[in-house]
């Protein structure tokens, strides 16, 4: 798993939070990812509610239960709460928190306010979210690109304020393609210097998978992408040498990693959108196919195959 992080250290308040959320949203927009929504929440709102119902000591278990909402739903979260000995009317109040989601951010914030009442911590969280929304809007983030979602809790203990995740409306089963939040006390575990921070992480592995499925990677890499199939002989040495020769010509190449039926390997190359497939036969001849044009060709050596690709690309 590979991620790309950005953090703002030392500053507190909604301006710092909004700076990170704005950059987070714009990063996806710059990459051309379709249907990205940054779903935001604030730990202080839920913590304020837990103080109101008298269970602030169960914050971690409650947060982890709510964080599973997308996977297990209402009844699943209720069972998680019961396991933490949060039951009855108290559980109902806690479960009302995810139910605050309204048709608009304004409706959700109003519901938050009603739920936390006069609790200072809860009100601080609501006010922080209002300020962040106003600032990201002023920064030009499109309406609808940032949405308050009460089910975003982020299960890690160290978050202290705003929390958020990026998800794809076009690919809901993909899960989060990035996340982040405020962690004002984390550095205190390792140093006496107080270093409040807020940061985000773009999940590159999932993001590239999403871009590929959306057809957004149909640029130079896939236009010249090559699959070298695993030889029927079971000895991949020649295939790796062939791949190296083609890479020296500037082509992105992958070798199929295990012995499978040739048809299966070709389907893989086609599904991934690669341009060429190369197969080395036992005699050393390279059999190639331009998957886009449906044209087949042969070359006597790896170097000759690479030269043919150069003329065909």
């Amino acid at each position: 798993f590979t991620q790309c992080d950005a953090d703002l250290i030392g500053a507190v308040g909604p301006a710092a939070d909004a700076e990170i959320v704005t950059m987070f949203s714009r990063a996806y927009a710059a990459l051309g990812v379709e249907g990205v929504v940054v779903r935001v929440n604030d730990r202080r709102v839920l913590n304020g509610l837990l103080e109101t119902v008298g269970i602030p000591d169960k914050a971690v278990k409650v947060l982890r239960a709510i964080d599973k909402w997308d996977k297990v739903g209402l009844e699943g979260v209720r069972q998680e709460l019961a396991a933490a000995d949060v039951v009855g009317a108290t559980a109902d109040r806690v479960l009302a928190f995810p139910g605050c989601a309204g048709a608009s951010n304004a409706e959700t914030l109003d519901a938050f306010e009603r739920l936390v009442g006069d609790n200072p911590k809860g009100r601080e969280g609501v006010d922080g979210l209002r300020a962040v929304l106003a600032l990201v809007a002023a920064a030009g983030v499109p309406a609808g690109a940032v949405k308050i979602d009460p089910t975003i809790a982020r299960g890690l203990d160290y978050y202290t304020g705003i929390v958020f995740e990026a998800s794809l409306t076009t690919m809901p089963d993909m899960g989060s393609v990035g996340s982040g939040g405020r962690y004002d006390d984390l550095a205190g575990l390792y140093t006496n210097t107080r270093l409040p921070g807020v940061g985000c992480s773009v999940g590159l592995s999932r993001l590239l998978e999403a871009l590929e499925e959306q057809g957004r990677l149909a640029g130079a890499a896939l236009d010249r992408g090559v699959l070298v199939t695993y030889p029927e002989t079971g000895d991949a040495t020649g295939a790796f040498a062939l791949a190296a020769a083609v890479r020296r010509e500037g082509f992105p190449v992958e070798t199929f990693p295990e012995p499978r039926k040739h048809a299966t390997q070709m389907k893989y190359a086609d599904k991934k959108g690669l341009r060429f497939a190369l197969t080395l036969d036992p005699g050393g001849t390279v059999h190639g196919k331009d998957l886009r044009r449906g044209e087949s060709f042969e070359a006597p050596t790896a170097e000759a195959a690479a030269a043919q690709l150069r003329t065909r690309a």
Side-chain angles (χ1 to χ4, degrees):
F1 179 80
T2 304
Q3 64 185 34
C4 174
D5 299 356
D7 297 85
L8 198 163
I9 306 297
V12 296
D17 295 346
E19 178 77 359
I20 289 293
V21 172
T22 298
M23 181 184 61
F24 192 56
S25 178
R26 286 194 175 279
Y28 294 105
L31 289 168
V33 191
E34 298 173 357
V36 175
V37 175
V38 180
R39 301 154 65 200
V40 302
N41 198 0
D42 197 301
R43 282 279 185 88
R44 294 170 294 181
V45 181
L46 181 56
N47 287 336
L49 171 62
L50 297 182
E51 287 183 358
T52 300
V53 299
I55 54 169
D57 57 314
K58 297 185 182 293
V60 172
K61 292 182 178 179
V62 171
L63 286 165
R64 289 177 178 171
I66 291 177
D67 198 45
K68 298 178 181 178
W69 185 278
D70 286 345
K71 295 179 180 178
V72 302
L74 172 62
E75 291 307 315
V77 173
R78 188 183 294 277
Q79 292 175 17
E80 293 280 337
L81 293 176
D85 200 27
V86 178
V87 295
T90 302
D92 290 339
R93 287 289 302 277
V94 172
L95 290 169
F97 181 74
C100 285
S104 66
N105 287 332
E107 287 184 15
T108 304
L109 287 171
D110 289 344
F112 278 173
E113 285 187 333
R114 291 191 295 270
L115 196 64
V116 300
D118 295 329
N119 180 272
K121 185 177 293 183
R123 298 290 297 197
E124 185 179 296
V126 174
D127 291 343
L129 286 172
R130 286 192 193 281
V132 167
L133 289 177
L135 291 169
V136 299
V141 176
V146 177
K147 178 182 178 182
I148 298 177
D149 187 337
T151 67
I152 299 299
R154 304 293 298 143
L156 298 173
D157 300 351
Y158 55 73
Y159 287 118
T160 57
I162 192 170
V163 287
F164 49 87
E165 292 185 2
S167 58
L168 302 174
T169 58
T170 54
M171 303 174 68
D173 295 335
M174 176 67 66
S176 168
V177 293
S179 60
R182 174 162 287 282
Y183 48 91
D184 287 345
D185 303 322
L186 180 60
L189 299 173
Y190 310 101
T191 176
N192 292 327
T193 304
R194 187 169 186 271
L195 296 171
V198 58
C200 62
S201 296
V202 175
L204 294 181
S205 303
R206 282 188 178 177
L207 184 60
L208 288 172
E209 182 181 349
L211 285 167
E212 183 177 320
E213 291 196 23
Q214 290 181 356
R216 307 294 295 186
L217 295 184
L222 287 182
D223 283 343
R224 293 165 56 84
V226 181
L227 175 72
V228 173
T229 64
Y230 200 100
E232 293 181 3
T233 60
D235 180 3
T237 305
F240 271 69
L242 172 58
V246 177
R247 287 193 188 102
R248 285 193 290 271
E249 292 293 333
F251 288 85
V253 186
E254 63 176 288
T255 54
F256 202 84
E258 56 187 347
R260 294 279 187 92
K261 291 182 179 179
H262 188 261
T264 300
Q265 299 183 54
M266 296 297 285
K267 286 180 181 178
Y268 169 82
D270 189 55
K271 182 179 179 180
K272 193 164 183 178
L274 299 177
R275 175 70 183 274
F276 301 103
L278 300 178
T279 300
L280 183 67
D281 73 17
T285 299
V286 180
H287 302 269
K289 186 169 184 180
D290 185 329
L291 298 171
R292 188 161 304 164
R293 296 176 179 172
E295 299 173 354
S296 298
F297 57 93
E298 289 186 359
T301 65
E303 289 71 21
Q308 283 220 38
L309 292 186
R310 188 173 63 251
T311 61
R312 291 172 177 273

